[in-house]
Amino acid sequence: MNTYYIKQSLFLYLTPRQKSQLISYLKSFIKKNSKLSTADILDKFIEEENYYRDIDNPHFEFILEYLDNDEFFREFKIYAEGVFEELRYKEAQRPIIEAQKAKAKEIRKKAQDYKMSKMKPTKKQLYYYEKLTHTHNIEKKDTESASRLDLKNWIMDIIEQNTVRNDTED
């Protein structure tokens, strides 16, 4: 069940602001301790809140009276299970999301390359290309009809060839 719907029916004895604060904190607390069981997370939460109460600095003063309440325990467990379900769902979706990100990156790269192929090279590119060809004693290609993409590729080829040469010499 979606945690949004779960949140609607839990902790109804709190004000909306208190409920929002508690649920926000619980979500991050449960995620941080997701390796533990629900009961262990509840114990840890209660232990932490009691500690902060003992040092007179409670996170949630409004929740202190409910820490011994069975209804609070039941609702905490329901909410924790909802968060665990959400985490499992996100984990199951991870490969799909990663594939979408990779595809989007590839599309952006193609669009950038297309745009660069229609533009004239910059002065910096031309200067850098000339310096590289001169430094590495490589014959310069005709830059009059070349695009930014062409120069970028030529520069990268020179750099990669030198990197390979330097790596094999070491």
Side-chain angles (χ1 to χ4, degrees):
M1 182 183 249
N2 189 336
T3 56
Y4 174 77
Y5 297 112
I6 292 173
K7 289 188 281 189
Q8 297 292 319
S9 62
L10 300 178
F11 309 115
L12 298 176
Y13 41 85
L14 301 174
T15 67
R17 176 170 275 153
Q18 291 171 338
K19 183 176 173 179
S20 174
Q21 288 174 337
L22 179 65
I23 284 181
S24 175
Y25 179 77
L26 286 179
K27 187 170 189 174
S28 65
F29 187 80
I30 292 167
K31 284 181 178 181
K32 184 172 75 175
N33 297 295
S34 64
K35 302 285 188 238
L36 302 174
S37 69
T38 304
D40 291 340
I41 292 174
L42 175 61
D43 291 341
K44 189 171 183 170
F45 175 75
I46 291 171
E47 180 182 311
E48 192 173 287
E49 289 307 310
N50 285 332
Y51 167 76
Y52 284 111
R53 180 188 61 202
D54 292 344
I55 64 170
D56 292 330
N57 189 17
H59 283 134
F60 309 105
E61 288 183 30
F62 56 86
I63 206 69
L64 296 176
E65 64 187 85
Y66 299 108
L67 289 180
D68 297 327
N69 187 334
D70 287 337
E71 184 179 356
F72 177 77
F73 295 155
R74 183 182 60 76
E75 291 179 348
F76 182 96
K77 288 179 181 180
I78 291 170
Y79 185 68
E81 288 303 320
V83 172
F84 282 138
E85 185 64 32
E86 187 178 302
L87 289 174
R88 284 190 291 272
Y89 178 75
K90 283 184 178 179
E91 189 62 35
Q93 294 297 313
R94 181 173 291 177
I96 296 167
I97 292 169
E98 293 298 323
Q100 287 174 336
K101 285 181 183 178
K103 185 70 173 168
K105 185 176 181 180
E106 183 180 313
I107 290 170
R108 285 192 306 272
K109 173 101 172 88
K110 284 182 181 179
Q112 181 188 20
D113 286 352
Y114 177 77
K115 184 178 176 182
M116 287 178 73
S117 71
K118 302 296 180 195
M119 300 170 82
K120 291 190 179 279
T122 64
K123 290 180 181 178
K124 284 184 179 181
Q125 270 185 318
L126 292 169
Y127 177 76
Y128 188 59
Y129 177 69
E130 287 177 23
K131 284 293 187 185
L132 276 176
T133 55
H134 179 72
T135 304
H136 299 292
N137 296 325
I138 297 172
E139 185 180 328
K140 285 187 355 182
K141 297 178 182 176
D142 179 30
T143 57
E144 289 297 318
S145 61
S147 67
R148 279 189 191 179
L149 180 63
D150 293 334
L151 254 72
K152 175 185 153 194
N153 291 336
W154 296 341
I155 290 169
M156 291 308 296
D157 288 343
I158 294 170
I159 292 171
E160 286 172 4
Q161 288 173 358
N162 272 341
T163 305
V164 170
R165 283 187 199 143
N166 290 341
D167 289 343
T168 56
E169 289 174 1
D170 290 341

